[in-house]
Amino acid sequence: MADTGARLVDVDCLTKAFGSVAAVNGVSFHVNRGEVLGFLGPNGAGKSTTMKMITGYLSPTSGTARIGGADVRTEPRAVKSRIGYLPEGAPLYGDMTPEAYLDFSARIRGLKGDDRQRRVRDVIARLQLEEVLHRRIETLSKGFKRRLGLAQALVHDPEVLILDEPTDGLDPNQKHAVRKLIAEIKTDKAIVISTHLLEEVDAICDRAIIIDHGVLVGEGTPAELRARAENHNAVALALPMQNGAKAAKVIGAMPEIARVVPTASGNMMTLIAYPKDHVFAADIVAARLRSEGIDFHELHTEAGRLDLVFRQLTIQRQVA
Amino acid sequence: MRIMFIIARRELAAYFSTPLAYVFLVTYAASAGAMTFYVGGFFASRQANLSTFFTFQPWLFLALIPAIGMRLWAEERRTGTIEILMTMPVSTWEAVGGKFIAGWAFTGIALLLTTPIWYTVNYLGSPDNGVIIASYVATFLMAGALLALASCLSALTRNQVIAFVISIAACSLMMVGGADVVVAALRKVAPAIIVDFVASASFLTHFVTITNGVLDLRDTMFFLSFIALCLFINGQLIEIKKGS
């Protein structure tokens, strides 16, 4: 995919200092057309500040971002017209109606006449805003507000979407609808999504980056990131209690296994065996148990949990 | 210019989206009338002119213009919509100008509501309508200058009430510099050059000159350049405050 798509978002060593504190420190990444990039990190890691610089709201202390080749420092208007942006918390003009607000956004974006009406109607339909079109925005539910924020970001059909926590505050059905929408529109766009929800990374992101304390600490596809988890390829076993101790001893003695963690639950025993260097070991563990005549109910390999990777990458730095 | 107009249109609609605008307009028109007819002794003076009406305008504006200006940027910063506005293909100058134009148009509407008083003096006698037109222009220009100051100060805070209070303080300062009391007091302690400077920077001095019937370029330029200066600082403040 990296070869076929043009590089629409190119973030180059972006740095923002507030006083002596670097909120964002030398962050570089890129997003190609047709790609959804997940932007992860703990609260206060610098995600929103990075997005504010890419969209031209804050000027970088050093480094830059280029959107479709236009440099945000020297051609802010070109950059802004190519981006659809949903800021953190989806701020809106509470005194307007959704219809007036979308019309205003479309006008400012330079859409005219029939084209404007068509685009406004299109985003209203896409985000299912029909029933609230004539109500004051401040009276709308959180779900409608968030969708209206998205509609505003999409109204000019931008090449690049920067969405700061687009599904925050939505119920599971609404989250699903937004993810479906992103999947539908992503083919000709480059999309950056910040999120706390790691399930979202699996659901919609082609690639993800993790930042912490303003520094990039991890990057890769969801599968690549998962491979960095402590429990990647760990073998999980469920077996009757009386077999537990023996099995733990047998597996623990295998040269391929680094350590075994047993947990008792009711009359069952769960063993997690961590292979050395995260190698795939389910087959040899199963073979060994069978040869020893130890019964087990279930055996599976852990793919690695993204939240573990997230914690590994972001807690290390806090300690250091 | 087109973008500035789109922003101005939205802002003006925002004023009228709450009952506050109507309360404001009615209060203004009623107090302008009351000041003229009761406090100013319009009938007792037995003169067919609007000098009593215009004498009270600066003092009415002192409270009312900060109320119009306070929300322009403070509200935008409080709700975070400034981030949407400034990431649309809009320059800071267009945003500042558009908002100012909306507020100024709103004061223009308020002024239009006082025209029945003008009609009244024409019915009662034959006033010098040239002076009245000049005075309306002066009032509008002064309103613009006060509004530009209030808009600029509203960019300093997220809190409309704070914006309102500091705007009243700043507008009062700009106004009273030319009042007789202040000039007399200042003359005792400061050299003439400073007294002249304070008096000439005062809105009241320029306002009174025009309402006396002399609409000259100097006073007009004074108000227009004050507006330009405030809006320039307004834009700078927005840039500076974005990060916080």
Side-chain angles (χ1 to χ4, degrees), chain B:
Chain B
M1 264 329 258
R2 197 182 59 82
I3 296 230
M4 210 184 273
F5 176 73
I6 296 169
I7 293 173
R9 213 179 74 146
R10 197 209 78 77
E11 289 292 328
L12 194 58
Y15 279 117
F16 288 99
S17 72
T18 64
L20 206 67
Y22 301 96
V23 173
F24 176 93
L25 289 173
V26 169
T27 309
Y28 169 76
S31 41
M35 292 279 193
T36 308
F37 292 114
Y38 297 108
V39 186
F42 174 79
F43 293 114
S45 72
R46 305 191 65 79
Q47 286 175 7
N49 63 38
L50 282 183
S51 64
T52 48
F53 168 73
F54 287 111
T55 307
F56 288 109
Q57 288 304 308
W59 312 108
L60 267 182
F61 280 177
L62 221 46
L64 294 177
I65 300 286
I68 299 176
M70 66 182 184
R71 57 168 286 285
L72 285 179
W73 290 100
E75 181 70 1
E76 198 93 37
R77 288 191 53 206
R78 187 182 65 80
T79 58
T81 45
I82 187 168
E83 211 173 310
I84 300 241
L85 183 64
M86 303 313 281
T87 52
M88 286 173 164
V90 168
S91 69
T92 307
W93 167 239
E94 285 165 334
V96 169
K99 278 172 174 284
F100 172 75
I101 288 169
W104 210 12
F106 188 80
T107 61
I109 293 168
L111 270 180
L112 279 180
L113 287 180
T114 66
T115 47
I117 300 180
W118 186 4
Y119 175 80
T120 308
V121 287
N122 273 288
Y123 176 77
L124 293 172
S126 45
D128 183 344
N129 282 319
V131 171
I132 292 178
I133 290 170
S135 301
Y136 264 114
V137 172
T139 310
F140 190 56
L141 283 173
M142 187 179 59
L146 291 170
L147 181 70
L149 185 58
S151 169
C152 177
L153 293 171
S154 103
L156 280 174
T157 169
R158 294 162 193 274
N159 187 321
Q160 288 198 41
V161 178
I162 294 174
F164 179 66
V165 173
I166 56 175
S167 293
I168 288 190
C171 288
S172 306
L173 273 179
M174 289 314 298
M175 196 71 85
V176 298
D180 295 340
V181 192
V182 178
V183 172
L186 210 56
R187 215 176 284 286
K188 286 181 197 151
V189 292
I193 186 164
I194 296 200
V195 177
D196 287 348
F197 175 77
V198 171
S200 68
S202 154
F203 288 5
L204 210 54
T205 312
H206 295 275
F207 178 73
V208 169
T209 315
I210 307 181
T211 51
N212 284 340
V214 192
L215 183 60
D216 76 3
L217 194 63
R218 219 172 52 113
D219 299 306
T220 312
M221 282 312 292
F222 168 79
F223 284 120
L224 291 178
S225 30
F226 186 86
I227 291 170
L229 176 69
C230 279
L231 295 184
F232 172 76
I233 297 171
N234 193 344
Q236 297 298 311
L237 283 176
I238 288 161
E239 289 296 326
I240 294 166
K241 285 281 176 178
K242 268 182 189 173
S244 61

Side-chain angles (χ1 to χ4, degrees), chain A residues 18 52 55 57-58 77 80-81 85 87 91-93 95-96 101 103-105 107-110 136 152, chain B residues 2-3 6-7 9-10 14 17 76 79-91 94 242-243:
Chain A
F18 295 114
K52 284 174 192 183
T55 52
Y57 180 68
L58 291 179
R77 200 181 280 260
K80 287 171 181 180
S81 54
Y85 178 37
L92 299 161
Y93 291 110
D95 52 51
M96 300 180 93
Y101 178 59
D103 184 67
F104 164 72
S105 306
R107 277 176 199 272
I108 282 233
R109 297 291 188 173
R136 280 171 74 88
Q152 174 275 132
Chain B
R2 197 182 59 82
I3 296 230
I6 296 169
I7 293 173
R9 213 179 74 146
R10 197 209 78 77
S17 72
E76 198 93 37
T79 58
T81 45
I82 187 168
E83 211 173 310
I84 300 241
L85 183 64
M86 303 313 281
T87 52
M88 286 173 164
V90 168
S91 69
E94 285 165 334
K242 268 182 189 173

